[in-house]
DNA sequence: CTACTTTTTCCTGCTT
DNA sequence: CAAGCAGGAAAAAGTA
């Protein structure tokens, strides 16, 4: 029962984040991953939800590393069956110490190189100096909001990503297995019981992988405690014989957070989205404040209300932040935009990618001269 | 509580 | 080929 399961484990690790809103949770105690129970994995991932994309790799916990690897496994279509979870059990600080050669040693030439490159990108991306003034101010604004919602001091280290490399559709595909939640209700309390914050929040024992043993390490035999019999209904077989769960359509239900850590329970009662937070208004406001949102979007034809996304994924991420939805993508945002055609809030612009045009049922984007003069 | 609206998520197929 | 675009379908969550 070997290492079959990196991908399925990763998959299940991602499960919970599909169902929860990470911005609302994030209790102070990240359960240590070394127990490697699926429940803890699912639990801690529920607090992340692509969280790793928004934080320097140095701040990643083991589950973020797993998530990151998972995304690359998906995108490179590498056969994950040769990887054992043990090889992936390290936290961000440990990961950051790995050389290119070590990564290649562990993950093979293809995946290893890609991981190395990605790691470098993530590292540089979160260096503060890479942000220009306006970006920084916008970032701070979002961050304020973000932290306000979290009320979570640890996250003061977060750098909001520019998200060029934001998630692809495939990135999200792993959050497949609904059924697992019920299978994975392990005793979370046991995991965190006697652990102090410092132990939990980083490195120490979760970065325990011994790199010296790499060379000989080969698939086949992974520690039994690393294998999870993942059974679930509704799987479909793929060509490769792997089974994959076909997800139901529609928006996934949010999971109630009754079990979440009480200290960090949100005191704010579910706030209603205030008016003026419709997507098209959000887009309009970005366009109306270019100084704060440099490079995200631009007017193609100011008079006609034609505009273009320059950093589509970054805008989607910001929209996601606003809606407290860390898995927002341009693909989903654009679907919502397309619904505006029918309502004539937007007009179609054919043949030009990432270009939209305000329609007659939109307002607030015209300048004074345009309204009066013309 | 019901109906309705506005997304959000997923998907298949098509286009650039 | 990847990234976008089109829309259908279905469900969540807010609003009336």
């Amino acid at each position: 029962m070997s290492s079959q399961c990196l991908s399925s484990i990763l998959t299940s690790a991602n499960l919970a984040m599909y169902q929860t809103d990470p911005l609302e949770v994030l209790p102070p105690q990240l359960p240590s991953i070394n127990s490697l129970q699926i429940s803890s994995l699912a639990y801690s991932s529920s607090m992340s939800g692509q969280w790793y994309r928004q934080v320097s790799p140095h701040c990643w916990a083991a589950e973020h590393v797993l998530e990151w690897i998972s995304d690359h496994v998906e995108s490179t279509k590498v056969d994950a069956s040769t990887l054992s979870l043990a090889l992936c059990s390290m936290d961000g600080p440990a990961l950051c110490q790995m050389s290119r050669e070590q990564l290649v040693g562990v993950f093979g030439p293809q995946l290893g190189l890609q991981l190395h490159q990605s790691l470098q990108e993530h590292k540089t991306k979160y260096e503060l100096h890479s942000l220009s003034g306006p970006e920084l101010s916008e970032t701070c604004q979002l961050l304020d909001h973000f932290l306000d919602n979290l009320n979570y001091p640890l996250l003061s280290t977060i750098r909001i990503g520019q998200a060029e490399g934001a998630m692809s559709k495939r990135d999200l595909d792993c959050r497949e297995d609904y059924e697992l939640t019920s299978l994975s209700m392990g005793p979370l309390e046991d995991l965190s019981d006697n652990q102090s914050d410092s132990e939990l929040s980083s490195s120490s024992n979760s970065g325990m992988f011994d790199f010296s043993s790499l060379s000989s390490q080969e698939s086949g035999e992974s520690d039994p405690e690393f294998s999870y019999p993942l059974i679930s209904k509704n799987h479909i077989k793929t060509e490769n014989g792997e089974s994959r769960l076909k997800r139901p359509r529609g928006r996934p239900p949010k999971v109630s957070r009754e079990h979440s850590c009480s200290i960090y329970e949100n005191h704010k009662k579910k706030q209603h989205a205030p008016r003026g937070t419709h997507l098209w208004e959000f887009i309009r406001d970005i366009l109306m404040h270019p100084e704060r949102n440099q490079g995200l979007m631009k007017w193609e034809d100011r008079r006609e209300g034609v505009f273009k996304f320059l950093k589509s994924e970054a805008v989607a991420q910001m929209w996601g932040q606003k809606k407290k939805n860390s898995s927002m993508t341009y693909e989903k945002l654009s679907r919502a935009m397309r619904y505006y055609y029918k309502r004539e809030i937007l007009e179609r612009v054919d043949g030009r990618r990432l270009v939209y045009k305000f329609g007659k049922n939109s307002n607030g984007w015209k300048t004074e001269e345009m309204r009066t003069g013309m």
Side-chain angles (χ1 to χ4, degrees):
Chain A
M1 173 75 55
S2 58
S3 37
Q4 50 132 323
C5 13
L6 175 62
S7 53
S8 49
I9 288 163
L10 294 168
T11 289
S12 53
N14 281 331
L15 157 71
M17 82 190 191
Y18 178 35
Q19 300 173 316
T20 60
D21 182 342
L23 302 186
E24 286 177 14
V25 244
L26 253 95
Q29 300 192 330
L30 295 176
S32 163
I33 200 163
N34 64 359
S35 69
L36 289 166
Q37 294 180 3
I38 193 74
S39 55
S40 72
L41 217 47
Y43 176 66
S44 37
S45 285
S46 75
M47 299 183 293
S48 59
Q50 301 279 329
W51 191 69
Y52 77 82
R53 290 185 183 279
Q54 304 173 355
V55 196
S56 164
H58 296 280
C59 306
W60 292 352
E63 63 268 40
H64 303 124
V65 175
L66 265 178
E67 211 180 299
W68 171 70
I69 295 170
S70 147
D71 285 352
H72 285 279
V73 166
E74 284 278 324
S75 64
T76 53
K77 305 270 185 272
V78 158
D79 178 15
S81 64
T82 59
L83 296 170
S84 95
L85 186 62
L87 296 171
C88 308
S89 297
M90 67 190 110
D91 62 6
L95 175 68
C96 288
Q97 288 192 317
M98 286 185 79
S99 68
R100 188 179 128 125
E101 288 63 39
Q102 284 174 313
L103 283 167
V104 170
V106 181
F107 299 101
Q110 192 193 351
L111 183 58
L113 282 174
Q114 189 175 342
L115 289 176
H116 174 258
Q117 194 187 339
S118 168
L119 182 59
Q120 299 313 310
E121 285 165 12
H122 278 282
K123 280 179 180 171
T124 50
K125 182 167 155 187
Y126 292 101
E127 282 169 16
L128 198 53
H129 61 71
S130 65
L131 289 177
S132 66
E135 286 166 333
L136 195 54
S137 97
E138 178 65 29
T139 297
C140 290
Q141 210 180 318
L142 281 170
L143 196 53
D144 277 352
H145 193 65
F146 189 56
L147 293 172
D148 186 37
N149 287 318
L150 285 170
N151 194 17
Y152 186 50
L154 177 67
L155 293 185
S156 54
T157 54
I158 286 181
R159 307 280 179 271
I160 304 293
Q162 305 257 199
E164 281 80 26
M167 62 204 96
S168 69
K169 176 179 173 184
R170 297 290 162 233
D171 290 335
L172 303 166
D173 275 356
C174 355
R175 306 168 305 168
E176 321 180 297
D177 199 339
Y178 280 94
E179 321 302 330
L180 278 160
T181 7
S182 50
L183 294 172
S184 63
M185 290 327 232
L188 298 175
E189 310 76 21
D190 295 347
L191 302 172
S192 49
D193 262 351
N194 311 309
Q195 314 230 24
S196 74
D197 283 0
S198 56
E199 283 172 321
L200 288 162
S201 57
S202 74
S203 61
S204 58
N205 52 358
S206 52
M208 63 317 200
F209 182 68
D210 175 12
F211 296 120
S212 60
S213 65
L214 286 185
S215 41
S216 54
Q217 185 70 285
E218 240 307 70
S219 68
E221 259 299 301
S222 64
D223 189 318
E225 77 175 311
F226 294 141
S227 59
Y228 306 99
L230 299 178
I231 314 131
S232 65
K233 303 178 279 186
N234 304 330
H235 274 91
I236 55 173
K237 288 266 181 195
T238 65
E239 328 77 60
N240 327 334
E242 298 161 4
S243 70
R244 181 179 175 278
L245 190 110
K246 181 152 184 120
R247 296 181 59 186
R249 284 185 163 168
R251 193 173 179 156
K254 276 198 173 180
V255 124
S256 82
R257 240 150 271 122
E258 256 126 66
H259 328 293
S260 67
C261 182
S262 56
I263 305 168
Y264 274 80
E265 211 74 9
N266 222 340
H267 347 267
K268 290 178 190 170
K269 253 302 154 203
K270 210 175 264 197
Q271 64 281 59
H272 290 192
R275 289 202 172 282
T277 54
H278 290 139
L279 173 58
W280 70 269
E281 293 166 305
F282 173 79
I283 297 298
R284 176 198 64 194
D285 294 343
I286 289 177
L287 284 160
M288 300 299 280
H289 300 284
E291 73 285 355
R292 281 191 301 150
N293 302 284
Q294 217 171 36
L296 290 177
M297 310 189 61
K298 70 166 187 189
W299 289 107
E300 290 272 282
D301 184 331
R302 187 69 182 78
R303 281 192 90 72
E304 294 295 314
V306 180
F307 60 92
K308 178 173 187 172
F309 284 83
L310 298 177
K311 294 181 181 171
S312 53
E313 288 298 343
V315 175
Q317 290 285 299
M318 284 174 65
W319 174 239
Q321 296 240 320
K322 192 170 180 74
K323 300 292 287 290
K324 303 202 188 71
N325 174 356
S326 57
S327 58
M328 180 50 60
T329 61
Y330 175 71
E331 194 177 7
K332 290 184 274 197
L333 181 151
S334 66
R335 180 68 189 96
M337 296 283 278
R338 291 195 292 275
Y339 271 124
Y340 288 143
Y341 294 144
K342 201 162 234 171
R343 297 163 57 200
E344 300 190 275
I345 288 169
L346 293 178
E347 285 175 32
R348 270 206 172 75
V349 176
D350 289 326
R352 304 178 62 196
R353 292 182 162 207
L354 303 171
V355 176
Y356 298 81
K357 178 180 195 285
F358 285 118
K360 60 168 174 262
N361 291 333
S362 62
N363 57 42
W365 56 271
K366 289 184 179 169
T367 61
E368 189 61 32
E369 306 83 71
M370 289 162 69
R371 281 194 303 267
T372 57
M374 284 319 251

